[in-house]
Amino acid sequence: MNEEILDEVQLERTINAHFSVTVDIDSAIVSRVPASRTAQATLFLTKKKQLYLYVDSQSALTLSDVRKIVGRMGLKAEAYLPPKGRPHYFDEVGETKFREIFPGRHNVSEQDIAFYRTLAPYRPALVLISAVLAGEVYQFDPDASTGWRIATKFAYRRIRTS
């Protein structure tokens, strides 16, 4: 029991250090489950009843990798939170990578950088979740036929208010 509390406090401190949000963890739905061969994910509910997914890895992750993890875990993302102090981080990296490939282009649109935005390094990652799609949260399992197995059953759908 004490280890779980210490893990939650450590996670809160890590999130506060890396992202521009303050979270009060109410309960962990799944803690440190495998999300890939090198990544671990923690799904938790805050005291404000918001569901977040925190993903960290031993190796490099990109926004595209995190999107795949979120989808394969059976979750629907509402927002991918950028690093602290850089609210337009994904757009900045996307535009930089786009200009490396196409140095002569001057008018860069959102559609132009959409793919390059997904190449942004994103480790650790914090995702605000809007729904658990089938009422089941999955974890990576290389021995399973699909590569994923049920970690827990959990129903959640965020209802947006004004």
Side-chain angles (χ1 to χ4, degrees):
M1 183 70 179
N2 284 341
E3 264 186 49
E4 292 174 13
I5 294 171
L6 288 174
D7 286 346
E8 289 177 4
V9 170
Q10 181 64 32
L11 182 59
E12 286 176 2
R13 288 182 182 163
T14 303
I15 289 170
N16 289 339
H18 286 83
F19 303 96
S20 56
V21 293
T22 302
V23 295
D24 264 342
I25 297 176
D26 186 38
S27 62
I29 310 306
V30 291
S31 184
R32 288 195 227 151
V33 295
S36 72
R37 294 200 185 272
T38 60
Q40 293 183 339
T42 299
L43 184 68
F44 61 91
L45 200 59
T46 66
K47 295 190 189 232
K48 293 181 180 179
K49 304 301 178 201
Q50 293 178 314
L51 190 64
Y52 284 96
L53 179 70
Y54 176 80
V55 181
D56 200 1
S57 177
Q58 298 170 355
S59 60
L61 287 174
T62 62
L63 179 59
S64 177
D65 297 332
V66 174
R67 282 182 166 175
K68 287 177 189 173
I69 288 170
V70 167
R72 290 182 180 155
M73 286 185 76
L75 308 171
K76 182 179 177 187
E78 183 174 325
Y80 295 90
L81 299 161
K84 189 177 209 171
R86 298 183 70 185
H88 304 289
Y89 171 72
F90 300 116
D91 292 333
E92 292 169 5
V93 172
E95 191 170 332
T96 301
K97 292 192 179 285
F98 181 83
R99 290 191 188 281
E100 288 174 6
I101 305 296
F102 303 104
R105 295 276 307 269
H106 295 290
N107 296 332
V108 180
S109 70
E110 290 287 320
Q111 292 174 339
D112 292 336
I113 64 169
F115 168 74
Y116 298 97
R117 183 183 298 129
T118 64
L119 301 177
Y122 196 34
R123 180 184 154 246
L126 184 64
V127 184
L128 178 62
I129 302 298
S130 65
V132 177
L133 296 176
E136 298 170 336
V137 178
Y138 294 88
Q139 73 180 42
F140 179 73
D141 184 4
D143 295 331
S145 62
T146 61
W148 293 83
R149 67 178 171 90
I150 296 174
T152 190
K153 293 182 184 265
F154 182 72
Y156 179 86
R157 183 166 310 272
R158 183 164 182 209
I159 300 170
R160 299 210 52 159
T161 57
S162 61

